[in-house]
Amino acid sequence: MSKPLASGHKAVPFEGEELAKQLRDFPGYRLGIVRLTPGDWMFPIDYVKFADKIYNFKYRPSDVMVMTYPKCGTTWMQELVWTMRNNPDLNHPMAVLPVMARSPFQEMDMLVGDLAEVTSDNNPFYEGFRLLCPGKDPADGLMLQLSEAIPDPRTIKSHLPFSLHNPALLDTVKVIYVARNPKDVIISYHHHSRLINMHGFQGEFKDFVKYFVDDDLVYSPYWLHVKEAWEKRHHPNLHFVFFEDLKADVIGELKKLNAFLDTKLTDAQLSDIAKYASFTEMKKREAAAGGNEAEMEFFNSEVVKKDGGFFRKGESGDWKGKFTPELEAMVDKWTAEKMTSFGITFKYAV
Ligand code: A3P
């Protein structure tokens, strides 16, 4: 790993006590973890395997990239964008497939420790791969190859920050960046990290909060992720959205998206799409198309039964009452130091 990645970053594997602590709390990263310099980005070691392919991905001007730190409402935005561009009258035959089979998660392959977990018949992502990538080997990147193979116009999801994508990205494609208040991100990412075996979080909530403010979670640092997008927010190809604004006024946000994407949809179409992509409707559809989460190998069935599946709550301010005063003060301090300093503020943050 001495050679720099195409992005110019150097990947340094975790070792010793630092590695042991992460593997104890996140057994899903059993193959290893790397930290990138500069930026201190943290990833499962397989990021290195796919990093240059992602950096050199062949984009087309009609592509739209939905970019976020995990748990900021990516899936909701993917469904809105895919539907606005591919299914404005809600009659597209592929719409029955789960969101990620139509709008792939570009770098997901780095999280897949065991391919068998995602290539079972019971896996909704694999469905899209089988349909669109016949004869291809999922080991070469199931989601990466699916991202290449889906028909135009493509809507691709990435949780990677701008600095790990090709600098030409924003001059080539439209990017929608979604940010969410840090406390709801922590609650949602904590649930997700327990739910999905590829993370497999075993620690306590207070440990997770500490990992977050120490920038020691996969895809962290959150503040730098948001900062890189915030600084580009006036670029004509970037549309910056807050999860809280989508929740408060989905129609208002859809009108802005309609202008940004140049989709020319009517108010009636936007209203139908807002309902179709509501939390309740998406949860129903994924349950029907994606199968039973409690039975899927990559979900922790105990967590699904006790605390819910992927579509957990979909609210703003759900963090209230879930942090001790000490933990809340820790996050407030981190937010003031790391985020308020570059000029961003979040609704529902206090
Ligand atoms: P919660 O855990 O707070 O419920 P991502 O897609 O980036 O992983 O983000 C997931 C978060 O968005 C989860 O938040 C999920 O429930 C929420 N979400 C997904 N679809 C949604 C929708 N249609 N409306 C509102 N929230 C949604």
Side-chain angles (χ1 to χ4, degrees):
M1 271 183 220
S2 52
K3 201 166 136 263
L5 301 170
S7 61
H9 292 80
K10 192 167 163 20
V12 181
F14 276 41
E15 287 177 350
E17 180 47 33
E18 192 181 27
L19 179 65
K21 180 170 180 277
Q22 279 277 348
L23 295 189
R24 191 180 63 230
D25 285 343
F26 294 91
Y29 310 147
R30 60 190 175 277
L31 299 181
I33 301 169
V34 288
R35 178 99 63 193
L36 304 193
T37 319
D40 281 347
W41 305 106
M42 193 185 120
F43 294 113
I45 202 156
D46 273 357
Y47 169 71
V48 174
K49 215 157 103 186
F50 296 102
D52 289 359
K53 285 188 185 162
I54 295 166
Y55 190 83
N56 294 316
F57 190 88
K58 298 270 175 292
Y59 292 99
R60 301 176 196 139
S62 59
D63 293 340
V64 169
M65 189 71 132
V66 176
M67 192 190 285
T68 73
Y69 183 85
K71 312 319 288 176
C72 290
T74 337
T75 318
W76 186 13
M77 183 55 79
Q78 284 168 273
E79 187 65 314
L80 288 169
V81 173
W82 191 87
T83 308
M84 288 175 76
R85 302 204 313 146
N86 303 69
N87 188 20
D89 296 317
L90 309 181
N91 54 7
H92 195 299
M94 266 179 79
V96 297
L97 290 178
V99 180
M100 280 196 2
R102 294 174 269 123
S103 167
F105 174 11
Q106 194 181 36
E107 77 280 0
M108 192 191 88
D109 300 288
M110 73 170 183
L111 288 158
V112 179
D114 181 359
L115 255 189
E117 279 195 9
V118 287
T119 54
S120 76
D121 287 347
N122 202 10
N123 187 315
F125 317 145
Y126 192 41
E127 178 86 14
F129 183 82
R130 272 192 307 214
L131 275 174
L132 294 170
C133 306
K136 298 263 174 82
D137 183 354
D140 295 333
L142 188 155
M143 278 282 154
L144 195 58
Q145 294 178 91
L146 187 59
S147 304
E148 287 160 1
I150 52 170
D152 289 337
R154 305 183 298 186
T155 302
I156 299 170
K157 150 184 171 173
S158 176
H159 286 316
L160 296 178
F162 266 108
S163 54
L164 298 180
H165 283 289
N166 198 297
L169 177 76
L170 202 50
D171 293 323
T172 314
V173 309
K174 290 185 177 169
V175 178
I176 298 167
Y177 188 92
V178 191
R180 190 179 190 186
N181 83 70
K183 288 178 191 152
D184 279 328
V185 171
I186 293 173
I187 295 291
S188 189
Y189 203 5
H190 172 247
H191 172 71
H192 184 87
S193 300
R194 292 169 62 239
L195 176 72
I196 309 284
N197 295 331
M198 292 170 197
H199 306 277
F201 183 62
Q202 301 292 316
E204 292 180 37
F205 178 63
K206 67 174 174 39
D207 304 325
F208 194 87
V209 177
K210 183 85 170 61
Y211 275 120
F212 183 87
V213 296
D214 287 345
D215 302 331
D216 275 344
L217 293 175
V218 160
Y219 289 109
S220 280
Y222 180 50
W223 63 270
L224 186 56
H225 204 293
V226 176
K227 183 172 188 269
E228 289 184 359
W230 184 248
E231 285 169 349
K232 294 180 177 14
R233 70 193 182 283
H234 301 303
H235 190 292
N237 269 355
L238 179 62
H239 186 64
F240 195 103
V241 184
F242 287 93
F243 179 94
E244 292 75 22
D245 290 341
L246 260 183
K247 275 302 290 184
D249 179 14
V250 67
I251 295 292
E253 290 300 320
L254 284 187
K255 285 186 178 164
K256 290 185 208 162
L257 273 174
N258 200 22
F260 177 69
L261 297 170
D262 198 22
T263 28
K264 299 186 174 63
L265 303 185
T266 63
D267 286 356
Q269 283 174 312
L270 294 181
S271 166
D272 288 347
I273 291 170
K275 282 190 208 111
Y276 177 79
S278 67
F279 180 83
T280 319
E281 292 301 313
M282 283 186 69
K283 186 172 174 152
K284 269 196 244 163
R285 268 202 307 284
E286 287 275 315
N292 183 348
E293 289 177 345
E295 287 174 8
M296 279 183 217
E297 287 171 51
F298 58 95
F299 282 100
N300 180 325
S301 57
E302 293 308 309
V303 175
V304 175
K305 280 184 220 143
K306 194 163 159 276
D307 300 315
F310 182 84
F311 291 90
R312 194 187 62 90
K313 276 232 173 128
E315 296 293 344
S316 296
D318 182 55
W319 62 269
K320 292 192 180 181
K322 297 193 165 85
F323 286 76
T324 61
E326 293 75 28
L327 291 177
E328 195 176 335
M330 193 194 285
V331 181
D332 286 342
K333 183 166 175 282
W334 176 90
T335 306
E337 280 172 14
K338 306 278 185 155
M339 300 198 93
T340 318
S341 60
F342 64 82
I344 195 169
T345 51
F346 292 91
K347 294 175 185 148
Y348 290 94
V350 287

